[in-house]
Amino acid sequence: MAVYLDFENRIKGLQEDIEMATIRGDLDAKEILQRRLAKETNAVYSNLTDYQRLQLARHPDRPYAMDYIDLILTDKYELFGDRHFKDDKAIVCFVGKIEGVPVVVIAEEKGRGTKNKIMRNFGMPNPEGYRKALKSAKFAEKFNLPILMLVDTAGAYPGLGAEERGQSEAIARNLQEFATLKVPTISIIIGEGGSGGALAIAVADRLAMMEYAVFSVISPEGCAAILWNDPSKIEVAVKAMKITPFDLKKANLIDDIILEPERGAHRDKLQASQSIKDYFLQQLPLIQQSDFLTLRYEKLMSFGAFA
């Protein structure tokens, strides 16, 4: 059953009316209602607030990394473990093919359903997850395979055990190592890109965001709690933090925005996955034909300038 957000109530009502008209066989009413639905959808989604975009990024039906991997990756084989501690299920790594192109995919997976979410730690990786990602990236470098990274996490896991095992060191190591990988890298934020937990697999030749994804240094709830000691001020925090892809593209912090189906990736997973596949296949030859190591270094060194 589809989940509708608060601002989609009128869309939900029209959708239900269309279903009833279909059951009755009233084709004229159905046609009229479909025109109204298209008009209402356009009105709602062309005037979204930053907070509504955050709601879409967290939508329970939104495709997660494994949804995309299952749709775009063929001949896939999963890579496990970090060779130090254990296998972190919050990060998944695969070697496979996208339209016949061999590739290594590294992604953060939140899990769907209570049991799976607990197994995936709600998409919040431990240090062994980031070391697993680095191990897979080095595997890709050894065999000259491009890397596709799918980012979707509220942040790195802040537990005591994670800190004892070197959470900050694991993230910092990834930032350093991914910056110097000798293979093309493409990273796409598909949902939430939270803090260093996202950045650890977001250093790449191309960093793109899905249209309704968000990317921030801290969660809006955390920002509101720190600045105003009031988590209810989340909407104010979201607006101030500039976490939408359009704000980040304007600030030159991301390279591209991948457009989603009209009502979001969660309404048409096939089209959303095709957009990711097309972006990867379009950008990969452009990176391969360039001096990408030099360009990557120059891009990373340009961050932080202000006027």
Side-chain angles (χ1 to χ4, degrees), residues 62-82:
R62 191 170 180 83
Y64 292 150
M66 285 304 301
D67 296 316
Y68 289 125
I69 288 169
D70 288 340
L71 288 169
I72 70 175
L73 198 63
T74 58
D75 301 328
K76 59 181 180 289
Y77 182 84
E78 188 167 4
L79 308 173
F80 297 95
D82 69 337

Side-chain angles (χ1 to χ4, degrees), residues 146-196:
I147 301 171
L148 172 63
M149 294 171 276
L150 302 177
V151 180
D152 190 15
T153 181
Y157 185 60
L160 179 61
E163 296 299 333
E164 289 174 340
R165 295 192 300 279
Q167 184 72 288
S168 58
E169 185 277 337
I171 292 173
R173 177 82 183 276
N174 276 23
L175 300 183
Q176 180 182 20
E177 296 288 348
F178 276 73
T180 57
L181 286 173
K182 296 179 178 63
V183 291
T185 53
I186 296 172
S187 184
I188 301 173
I189 299 164
I190 60 174
E192 284 187 277
S195 192

Side-chain angles (χ1 to χ4, degrees), residues 40-219:
E40 179 65 25
T41 299
N42 181 261
V44 169
Y45 279 83
S46 60
N47 293 285
L48 290 172
T49 66
D50 290 351
Y51 179 63
Q52 287 169 340
R53 291 178 180 276
L54 174 66
Q55 288 179 292
L56 286 170
R58 294 173 170 176
H59 197 289
D61 292 336
R62 191 170 180 83
Y64 292 150
M66 285 304 301
D67 296 316
Y68 289 125
I69 288 169
D70 288 340
L71 288 169
I72 70 175
L73 198 63
T74 58
D75 301 328
K76 59 181 180 289
Y77 182 84
E78 188 167 4
L79 308 173
F80 297 95
D82 69 337
R83 295 202 186 105
H84 291 283
F85 186 64
K86 69 173 185 178
D87 182 50
D88 186 350
K89 301 293 185 183
I91 284 190
V92 294
C93 303
F94 286 87
V95 58
K97 294 179 181 177
I98 297 178
E99 292 293 325
V101 178
V103 61
V104 168
V105 177
I106 300 169
E108 289 161 329
E109 170 62 28
K110 289 182 173 179
R112 206 173 298 282
T114 303
K115 185 177 180 180
N116 200 252
K117 284 179 181 294
I118 293 171
M119 181 186 74
R120 301 287 185 187
N121 201 32
F122 298 86
M124 295 185 291
N126 280 279
E128 50 271 19
Y130 296 118
R131 291 173 181 135
K132 171 183 175 180
L134 180 58
K135 182 201 75 172
S136 300
K138 289 297 185 181
F139 167 88
E141 185 178 51
K142 180 177 180 179
F143 293 99
N144 196 30
L145 300 174
I147 301 171
L148 172 63
M149 294 171 276
L150 302 177
V151 180
D152 190 15
T153 181
Y157 185 60
L160 179 61
E163 296 299 333
E164 289 174 340
R165 295 192 300 279
Q167 184 72 288
S168 58
E169 185 277 337
I171 292 173
R173 177 82 183 276
N174 276 23
L175 300 183
Q176 180 182 20
E177 296 288 348
F178 276 73
T180 57
L181 286 173
K182 296 179 178 63
V183 291
T185 53
I186 296 172
S187 184
I188 301 173
I189 299 164
I190 60 174
E192 284 187 277
S195 192
L199 199 59
I201 59 168
V203 175
D205 297 301
R206 295 287 188 278
L207 175 58
M209 289 179 69
M210 298 294 284
E211 185 179 3
Y212 300 127
V214 295
F215 192 24
S216 63
V217 70
I218 190 175
S219 72

Side-chain angles (χ1 to χ4, degrees), residues 211-273:
E211 185 179 3
Y212 300 127
V214 295
F215 192 24
S216 63
V217 70
I218 190 175
S219 72
E221 292 87 351
C223 174
I226 291 171
L227 292 184
W228 299 290
N229 197 28
D230 184 0
S232 68
K233 289 192 175 181
I234 179 174
E235 291 191 48
V236 180
V238 169
K239 188 173 182 180
M241 290 168 67
K242 307 294 185 186
I243 64 177
T244 70
F246 301 98
D247 289 322
L248 294 167
K249 181 74 169 69
K250 187 177 179 181
N252 291 321
L253 293 174
I254 64 170
D255 298 303
D256 297 294
I257 300 170
I258 300 174
L259 298 180
E260 297 187 23
E262 188 176 25
R263 290 163 57 196
H266 56 289
R267 301 292 181 215
D268 193 340
K269 295 180 183 180
L270 285 175
Q271 186 179 334
S273 63

